[in-house]
Amino acid sequence: HSKNPLVRYAHIDRLHKIVSQLPEGKNLKILDAGCGEGHLIQEMHDHTIFLNCEFYGADVTEVALEKTRERCPYAKIYNADLAQLDFPDDFFDVVVCTEVLEHIKHYQKVVDEIKRVLKKDGYFIITFPNEIPWTIARFLLGRRPVKVSDHINSFYPRTMKRLTDMKEEKLIKLPFNLPLFASLGSLMKFKK
């Protein structure tokens, strides 16, 4: 709901690009790990090719989850620590984790847990900011604070590939697919 049109564009573009990377199929179980207010779940659900899918959301922020439940009454929403999900092994066809790991101290535990609940041949789709261009863009747009204080980690595609230890299917630089040094973030798709 930003008043800045560039911020709105970057947010909406990220959601559309994530949805474009979802596999087509029926009866898929899709988890939005760190779902926040449910914008991505709503975007996925609004695409007709995903109508027969089951949508799940998990987050630790109850206020955000209340908005998700209102926005996405068709989804199963859980207040959960992403490092300890209450789902069986090999449960999800797709897990999406967008703009989350940079906020989490023990991010390796979260990635390991996502891999545990992801089916063999399932997809893990993740987005994360490229901190240096991100910080410069915040400065140029007059956003304060310039450095986001709750971004306690910084990732790059090569480090994310090592972290997940899965087959990389796709790398998209966000929002304009510029070279990495000029991109605000990355979207990566991995296959288990």
Side-chain angles (χ1 to χ4, degrees):
H1 301 292
S2 173
K3 293 178 182 175
N4 187 310
L6 290 174
V7 172
R8 280 196 316 272
Y9 173 82
H11 174 72
I12 292 168
D13 180 68
R14 178 172 45 89
L15 295 180
H16 289 169
K17 286 181 177 162
I18 291 168
V19 170
S20 77
Q21 294 306 305
L22 294 170
E24 290 188 34
K26 293 185 178 180
N27 305 317
L28 297 176
K29 291 181 181 172
I30 302 172
L31 171 64
D32 184 356
C35 65
E37 295 181 358
H39 295 260
L40 177 60
I41 295 171
Q42 181 180 31
E43 186 72 23
M44 291 186 293
H45 182 265
D46 288 350
H47 285 75
T48 56
I49 59 173
F50 304 114
L51 283 180
N52 294 327
C53 295
E54 292 180 44
F55 296 98
Y56 295 77
D59 204 295
V60 294
T61 309
E62 189 56 43
V63 172
L65 291 174
E66 289 173 17
K67 292 188 185 228
T68 304
R69 289 181 187 105
E70 290 171 18
R71 179 176 278 121
C72 309
Y74 44 81
K76 298 170 185 165
I77 306 302
Y78 299 89
N79 186 321
D81 178 347
L82 297 180
Q84 298 177 342
L85 295 169
D86 194 21
F87 297 105
D89 294 355
D90 308 311
F91 188 74
F92 292 103
D93 299 286
V94 179
V95 177
V96 180
C97 187
T98 178
E99 309 300 305
V100 173
L101 291 186
E102 64 272 14
H103 302 278
I104 299 175
K105 184 176 181 181
H106 301 291
Y107 57 84
Q108 183 65 60
K109 290 180 182 179
V110 173
V111 171
D112 292 343
E113 186 68 353
I114 286 170
K115 289 170 61 175
R116 181 189 69 77
V117 299
L118 187 63
K119 292 179 182 177
K120 184 181 184 303
D121 295 324
Y123 293 97
F124 175 35
I125 300 170
I126 184 163
T127 71
F128 49 92
N130 185 354
E131 288 298 330
I132 293 171
W134 179 266
T135 302
I136 292 168
R138 288 182 63 82
F139 173 76
L140 294 174
L141 292 171
R143 308 248 333 185
R144 300 291 180 260
V146 172
K147 172 71 174 115
V148 181
S149 60
D150 63 344
H151 284 197
I152 59 174
N153 304 305
S154 183
F155 301 101
Y156 294 95
R158 69 180 178 276
T159 55
M160 190 58 68
K161 188 172 181 178
R162 279 195 308 267
L163 180 63
T164 63
D165 192 31
M166 293 172 27
K167 180 184 177 204
E168 180 184 333
E169 295 269 314
K170 190 80 164 182
L171 167 60
I172 300 171
K173 293 172 277 308
L174 301 172
F176 306 110
N177 212 19
L178 297 170
L180 184 61
F181 71 86
S183 294
L184 298 179
S186 298
L187 181 155
M188 297 186 79
K189 179 179 179 181
F190 296 98
K191 188 171 185 178
K192 183 174 175 186

